[in-house]
Amino acid sequence: MKTLLKIFEWATLRIERGAKEKNHPLYKPYSNAIIAKEPTSLEEEIKEIRRSGSNRDLDSASEFEMSDIFYFARRGVESIMDDEVTKRFSAEELESWNLLTRSNNNFHYISLRLTVLWGLGLLIRYGFLLPLRVTLAFTGVGLLVFLTCLVGLLPNGRLKNFLSEKVHLMCYRICVRALTAIITYHDSENKPKNGGICVANHTSPIDVIILASDGCYAMVGQIHGGLMGVIQRSMVKACPHVWFERSEVKDRHLVAKRLSDHVEDKSKLPILIFPEGTCINNTSVMMFKKGSFEIGATVYPVAIKYDPRFGDAFWNSSKFGMVNYLLRMMSSWAIVCSVWYLPPMSREEGEDAVQFANRVKAAIARQGGLVDLLWDGGLKRGKVKDTFKEEQQKLYSKILISTHVVTMGDAMQVSS
């Protein structure tokens, strides 16, 4: 497999070099941003528009001018063009082709040599690697269900905990092999310990397998039906996980109490949580939900960074179902990623849950080389909150009120 990856790196390097030549078919100029300008306040921009659109002195302007509309119209167009949120929910764009047609929507014939190389890769991926990986995946999941059910028959104690840990590690590592995941773990001395909470950035459902193949965790999530439900019920027999009914998920106090009870027992495994609540395309970290930071337990941050050249690990749930996504993963070259275990962090005196969550998020983004964004990942499926719109309305109303006060003051001085 390492030999194949070496050949793959050589091919992508040749493509990338060609893409930088102006006469090459793949050449395209690159710009770092769509709109570049100095940051200014709403009041300054409104005043500038009023100056350029009116011959009257600014101080004698009326409370409202029709030209003010242009500011909001322009900001709306700029937000659409330079949207830093929506693009986090689509696959990361590559600067060079990685010999997967799914990563190049503008794919066209380049050369006979590359076409032959792509054909050989297609044959290897779908004719050899995919059947082998599917077999390993069924083996890993089957063993996980069967062996955890057997371990669950044992009485609680050291033997059961020991066997449960070995079974989980073995089965997760088989599942990792099913993805041909090449993982590099850094700073293992900071690995999460019992009684703590492990928080990580979230790119894909396979994040769980990536982390669980290097250590055991207590999972948190909603109870599902079908095959996922069977796996959940078998896992909880071997070791305590925190599963919630659909009706319980929205009860924040119940969720917090269940998590708090778990971390207070130092004999139980650390809880694994992805505070973003949704999958982001591994270019940034979005807002962490504060719930897991209100408990008061020690937090163990983990940064996960995938190499998109070998396979895109991001799960666009609005575009692909779980089965379709896993098949795409298993038909990729490999899943290459790095995992960093950061030093444990605790809530400081005078720090609220939101501030603590932002501090942990910033540490993960800095270590993983990701963009730290304040936006809520829930915008992937929801609308912008009214509070954001009201904030802009309040800022504009302050400008109108201040203008009115200045006008009234001038009138009083003239009359006196």
Side-chain angles (χ1 to χ4, degrees):
M1 190 63 201
K2 290 184 178 180
T3 304
L4 289 175
L5 290 178
K6 290 289 184 182
I7 297 173
F8 172 76
E9 285 181 342
W10 170 83
T12 53
L13 181 61
R14 293 296 301 271
I15 296 171
E16 187 171 350
R17 286 177 179 173
K20 295 178 181 179
E21 300 174 3
K22 290 188 176 181
N23 296 327
H24 195 274
L26 287 179
Y27 171 78
K28 63 177 182 179
Y30 175 75
S31 102
N32 195 30
I34 297 175
I35 300 168
K37 63 177 184 178
E38 292 294 327
T40 54
S41 67
L42 184 148
E43 184 175 2
E44 291 174 347
E45 294 202 33
I46 290 288
K47 286 181 179 179
E48 183 63 30
I49 292 174
R50 288 184 177 185
R51 286 194 191 99
S52 60
S54 176
N55 294 324
R56 294 175 298 173
D57 185 71
L58 181 64
D59 292 337
S60 62
S62 61
E63 293 186 1
F64 169 77
E65 284 197 7
M66 189 64 71
S67 60
D68 295 351
I69 297 174
F70 292 110
Y71 166 79
F72 297 101
R74 186 182 67 190
R75 286 298 301 271
V77 174
E78 288 178 354
S79 298
I80 294 171
M81 293 176 62
D82 202 16
D83 182 9
E84 64 176 8
V85 177
T86 306
K87 63 185 178 184
R88 309 298 175 181
F89 304 130
S90 58
E92 182 179 358
E93 294 185 9
L94 301 178
E95 292 186 13
S96 60
W97 185 37
N98 61 355
L99 300 181
L100 299 175
T101 52
R102 72 190 67 156
S103 65
N104 188 355
N105 294 327
N106 298 319
F107 174 76
H108 58 271
Y109 177 81
I110 300 172
S111 69
L112 178 62
R113 183 167 54 181
L114 278 179
T115 302
V116 171
L117 192 59
W118 172 80
L120 289 174
L122 186 71
L123 184 63
I124 292 171
R125 289 188 293 111
Y126 284 92
F128 174 70
L129 293 178
L130 181 58
L132 179 61
R133 290 167 174 172
V134 171
T135 302
L136 285 173
F138 276 105
T139 302
V141 173
L143 285 174
L144 179 65
V145 172
F146 177 70
L147 294 178
T148 50
C149 287
L150 287 181
V151 173
L153 299 176
L154 299 174
N156 294 331
R158 280 187 171 184
L159 178 61
K160 182 177 181 179
N161 293 338
F162 174 79
L163 291 177
S164 174
E165 180 179 346
K166 296 301 179 184
V167 165
H168 279 84
L169 284 175
M170 179 187 71
C171 295
Y172 282 127
R173 285 171 180 172
I174 293 174
C175 292
V176 161
R177 299 296 184 275
L179 298 169
T180 315
I182 301 173
I183 314 166
T184 304
Y185 296 98
H186 305 271
D187 305 321
S188 295
E189 66 274 9
N190 296 325
K191 287 173 63 174
K193 296 178 175 58
N194 290 2
I197 298 177
C198 174
V199 298
N201 57 301
H202 198 25
T203 302
S204 159
I206 67 174
D207 293 338
V208 176
I209 303 173
I210 297 295
L211 294 177
S213 64
D214 191 47
C216 291
Y217 297 91
M219 308 299 174
V220 178
Q222 180 181 312
I223 296 176
H224 295 274
L227 177 60
M228 184 61 70
V230 173
I231 297 173
Q232 287 180 316
R233 288 191 294 271
S234 62
M235 288 172 60
V236 80
K237 292 177 182 178
C239 67
H241 296 277
V242 186
W243 304 129
F244 296 97
E245 297 287 349
R246 183 183 294 272
S247 58
E248 298 175 333
V249 173
K250 295 183 179 180
D251 191 338
R252 292 183 64 251
H253 297 289
L254 176 61
V255 172
K257 187 178 185 309
R258 292 276 300 277
L259 296 178
S260 181
D261 292 343
H262 184 99
V263 298
E264 286 176 1
D265 189 346
K266 301 303 179 182
S267 64
K268 292 183 178 180
L269 297 172
I271 295 176
L272 176 59
I273 294 178
F274 301 101
E276 288 170 297
T278 189
C279 293
I280 313 298
N281 69 354
N282 208 224
T283 61
S284 60
V285 184
M286 303 193 80
M287 188 183 79
F288 279 6
K289 303 294 190 297
K290 66 178 182 178
S292 54
F293 299 91
E294 293 176 326
I295 299 172
T298 301
V299 171
Y300 295 86
V302 175
I304 306 174
K305 179 64 177 177
Y306 293 90
D307 190 337
R309 293 179 300 168
F310 304 98
D312 182 20
F314 170 62
W315 180 35
N316 189 346
S317 57
S318 60
K319 190 175 181 181
F320 302 106
M322 177 63 76
V323 175
N324 192 346
Y325 166 76
L326 290 176
L327 288 175
R328 290 168 66 88
M329 290 298 94
M330 293 181 186
S331 60
S332 298
W333 294 107
I335 301 299
V336 181
C337 73
S338 295
V339 176
W340 289 272
Y341 296 108
L342 279 65
M345 303 174 69
S346 299
R347 192 165 161 182
E348 297 177 350
E349 186 177 354
E351 187 178 43
D352 59 27
V354 175
Q355 293 170 332
F356 184 29
N358 289 334
R359 183 160 60 90
V360 173
K361 178 168 68 77
I364 292 175
R366 186 166 54 250
Q367 181 62 71
L370 306 168
V371 181
D372 185 1
L373 296 177
L374 297 175
W375 294 97
D376 184 359
L379 292 173
K380 181 178 183 178
R381 297 182 179 86
K383 296 182 178 180
V384 178
K385 295 180 180 179
D386 291 336
T387 52
F388 290 111
K389 293 184 285 186
E390 291 172 359
E391 184 178 350
Q392 294 297 317
Q393 292 170 353
K394 289 178 181 178
L395 289 174
Y396 182 60
S397 64
K398 286 180 181 179
I399 296 175
L400 297 182
I401 292 172
S402 62
T403 304
H404 180 69
V405 170
V406 169
T407 305
M408 290 292 293
D410 292 343
M412 292 176 64
Q413 289 179 0
V414 171
S415 62
S416 62

